[in-house]
Amino acid sequence: MLKAALTIAQKDLLSELKTKQVLGTMIIFAGLVILVLSFAFDPANNTTKAVIPGAVWIIIVFSGILGLNRSLVSEQRNDTMHGLLVAPMDASSIFLGKFFANFMMIMIVEIVSIPFLFLLFDFEVTGSILYFILVLFIGSFGFIAIGTFLAALASNSKSSEMLLPLLLFPITSPILIGVTQATKIILTNMEKLPNALAWMQLVAAYDVIFFVLCFLLIEYVLEV
Amino acid sequence: MSMNLEKEQAPLPTTEAAPTKSSLLTKILYGCMVVTFLAAIYTIFMYAEVEKTMGAVQKIFYMHVPSAWAAFLAFFVTFVFSILFLIKRKRIFDTYAYVSAEIGVVFTLIVLTTGPIWAKSSWNTWWAWEPRLTTTLILFFLFMAYLMVRQMDGPWDKKARLSAVFGIIGFADVPIVFFAIRWWQSKFHPIVFGDGPSQEGGGISDTMLVALLVSIAAFTFLYAYLLHKGVSFENMKIKVSQYKQKLRESLEN
């Protein structure tokens, strides 16, 4: 199952590498979000430092939506979804493969855009970088896992681009609440680390529960 | 041509209308609803004492809490029927889940409108990002999204399958949101909404409790009545569309 999933992920990433369509759009979009934020909050102002932890997640969420929309709609448009479904593998390995590919892409976007955000807003990290990377990891893991699942659900509709954000934001709101709180503590105020760890445990538990739930229910979504 | 006309004029197969079978249940539910509502109005305005600090505004409590209860009940029913649908694949389960979710959204909307009215007079603010309020708002958006999935194009069984999946995922979210958010800003508003009007938490007088229980019963009957009616409407819609389909086929042939 894992092998089939990795094959799908590899296929997605290779075709992305050829066209560079989605990843390029995601990165440019992330840059534009940073630009808009700089209009909204003066980078020279001290209070904007409080905004940065939230801004990190705004970038991830908005550019993530772009990638998630594409990942299954393109399969539907090219009529390759049937090909995937009749291939000798579980529906859950399709989910897993798509999840891996999307996760890789959002990671690349994060690696490129977040240093830029810190650089352009002249933000000095007083906390721990290691913990920050951990928060980014568990946060995007849950967001992308649920997002991939709901993208598969929404891709059945003609207006999936409109439907996906409406489905995704309420369900992932606990993750987003948890990670923004944890990020804020980790980046600015390391004294409250136990608090941040509690939030991170919560998000991790949420990730596990929903990953399993998506894994079990994906069969019903991909059924023809 | 004449054959076609004949076919067209042939009477449609008449089926026993659903209401005759269920009219007794409808009447019972309707009667219970009316009686409990009258009792609720009496207990709220005549029997229950006026709250000390908030005065008459506090009476909104007897509408606010029961509708929250009815909304939770409705979403729970949706959750149960979604699971049942995925297992048994019967259309009636899907209809129940859909109608229940619709009613639940309406009740949540009542909660979200009566809440701020009450909060304005007791907390002096329309809205606070307090755990209960945030959770309820997320719940409202979740089931709005559920209704959006319902609006999708395609055959009914596909829509039913997808919305059942979303109903399960969405409802699984609710308890997690509720418990997760409890730690968040919990010092800001230590008293949760339903715990009692006396600002102590749980300090509710006997007459108020009676009024509350009666209005909860009234709202539960209202929910049951709406569910029953809604399902029979939905069944009629399905039947009409089946007749239309039949007619279209007979015209085409």
Side-chain angles (χ1 to χ4, degrees):
Chain A
M1 193 172 73
L2 202 65
K3 211 175 148 199
L6 286 176
T7 316
I8 291 178
Q10 196 187 12
K11 174 211 78 144
D12 269 16
L13 289 173
L14 278 178
S15 73
E16 179 52 41
L17 213 63
K18 274 237 170 87
T19 57
K20 298 181 191 68
Q21 209 178 13
V22 180
L23 207 54
T25 316
M26 279 162 87
I27 290 171
I28 292 169
F29 187 77
L32 288 174
V33 173
I34 296 175
L35 187 72
V36 173
L37 286 173
S38 77
F39 293 141
F41 310 103
D42 181 12
N45 196 331
N46 230 354
T47 53
T48 56
K49 301 285 182 266
V51 181
I52 295 290
V56 169
W57 288 99
I58 290 176
I59 291 169
I60 294 172
V61 163
F62 283 3
S63 49
I65 282 271
L66 287 181
L68 288 171
N69 257 328
R70 289 296 302 179
S71 74
L72 274 117
V73 169
S74 62
E75 299 279 3
Q76 296 270 7
R77 283 213 184 121
N78 301 329
D79 273 335
T80 44
M81 200 67 224
H82 280 279
L84 282 181
L85 285 173
V86 294
M89 59 186 173
D90 277 346
S92 41
S93 39
I94 300 177
F95 168 70
L96 213 58
K98 289 281 172 191
F99 165 73
F100 280 144
N102 286 332
F103 194 59
M104 281 297 284
M105 287 210 253
I106 200 80
M107 277 294 171
I108 294 169
V109 173
E110 281 166 23
I111 291 167
V112 174
S113 63
I114 290 172
F116 258 110
L117 176 77
F118 287 172
L119 204 75
L120 292 176
F121 275 76
D122 196 20
F123 183 77
E124 270 175 51
V125 182
T126 51
S128 148
I129 292 284
L130 216 64
Y131 273 119
F132 179 59
I133 290 169
L134 189 64
V135 171
L136 279 183
F137 185 82
I138 59 170
S140 13
F141 182 93
F143 182 75
I144 294 296
I146 299 173
T148 310
F149 179 80
L150 291 177
L153 202 158
S155 68
N156 287 294
S157 159
K158 270 176 201 147
S159 55
S160 65
E161 277 89 353
M162 288 195 285
L163 194 59
L164 181 61
L166 286 179
L167 303 181
L168 185 55
F169 288 148
I171 293 202
T172 50
S173 57
I175 292 182
L176 298 179
I177 292 168
V179 290
T180 41
Q181 299 284 332
T183 313
K184 194 184 280 175
I185 295 168
I186 282 166
L187 285 183
T188 54
N189 188 1
M190 275 302 269
E191 285 148 27
K192 282 192 189 163
L193 188 65
N195 255 347
L197 287 179
W199 280 115
M200 280 157 71
Q201 276 170 3
L202 189 85
V203 174
Y206 196 91
D207 283 2
V208 172
I209 292 171
F210 271 77
F211 195 74
V212 172
L213 208 58
C214 292
F215 215 76
L216 293 176
L217 287 172
I218 192 75
E219 255 178 75
Y220 295 109
V221 171
L222 291 180
E223 207 172 86
V224 185
Chain B
M1 179 66 196
S2 63
M3 250 176 68
N4 276 349
L5 268 177
E6 251 167 52
K7 254 187 188 168
E8 206 175 325
Q9 279 155 359
L12 281 165
T14 48
T15 43
E16 207 54 46
T20 48
K21 212 174 92 191
S22 59
S23 69
L24 187 65
L25 185 58
T26 317
K27 271 179 195 156
I28 292 172
L29 282 176
Y30 187 72
C32 287
M33 190 187 83
V34 169
V35 168
T36 45
F37 256 100
L38 289 176
I41 289 170
Y42 174 76
T43 46
I44 289 168
F45 290 105
M46 303 293 185
Y47 181 65
E49 51 199 338
V50 177
E51 211 274 330
K52 226 186 286 167
T53 42
M54 277 179 275
V57 184
Q58 185 264 335
K59 299 279 184 205
I60 209 166
F61 172 76
Y62 305 113
M63 171 131 185
H64 181 79
V65 177
S67 32
W69 149 253
F72 279 128
L73 182 68
F75 293 142
F76 184 68
V77 168
T78 301
F79 174 64
V80 171
F81 277 105
S82 296
I83 294 176
L84 276 177
F85 176 78
L86 283 187
I87 297 167
K88 295 265 167 75
R89 305 286 170 126
K90 277 193 186 145
R91 189 158 194 181
I92 186 72
F93 293 147
D94 174 57
T95 313
Y96 268 104
Y98 172 44
V99 173
S100 188
E102 251 180 352
I103 300 168
V105 167
V106 174
F107 277 123
T108 316
L109 200 59
I110 295 175
V111 175
L112 287 174
T113 32
T114 51
I117 296 171
W118 187 22
K120 182 65 188 170
S121 67
S122 69
W123 297 346
N124 202 23
T125 169
W126 293 106
W127 186 266
W129 289 104
E130 188 250 2
R132 267 286 156 88
L133 309 189
T134 317
T135 334
T136 315
L137 191 66
I138 291 171
L139 189 69
F140 177 68
F141 281 129
L142 266 174
F143 279 86
M144 283 299 278
Y146 178 87
L147 294 184
M148 291 287 190
V149 177
R150 288 276 171 187
Q151 310 275 312
M152 249 160 55
D153 34 72
W156 77 267
D157 52 336
K158 193 169 106 179
K159 276 193 285 190
R161 183 160 45 81
L162 295 177
S163 48
V165 169
F166 188 76
I168 293 168
I169 286 261
F171 193 80
D173 202 36
V174 175
I176 296 169
V177 173
F178 184 74
F179 289 116
I181 253 168
R182 286 209 134 176
W183 306 326
W184 178 41
Q185 284 192 352
S186 54
K187 287 167 210 147
F188 191 48
H189 277 298
I191 359 129
V192 267
F193 237 121
D195 259 1
S198 63
Q199 302 293 311
E200 301 284 338
I204 181 165
S205 81
D206 291 341
T207 53
M208 283 176 174
L209 191 64
V210 170
L212 179 65
L213 289 177
V214 172
S215 42
I216 283 180
F219 270 79
T220 312
F221 278 120
L222 175 64
Y223 164 70
Y225 179 70
L226 287 176
L227 183 69
H228 183 70
K229 270 283 173 204
V231 168
S232 61
F233 277 142
E234 204 61 30
N235 281 338
M236 279 183 227
K237 253 190 218 165
I238 292 166
K239 213 166 255 176
V240 166
S241 66
Q242 278 167 354
Y243 280 145
K244 267 189 193 164
Q245 185 65 28
K246 241 179 228 167
L247 191 65
R248 204 170 292 135
E249 272 165 16
S250 68
L251 282 179
E252 272 166 9
N253 295 327

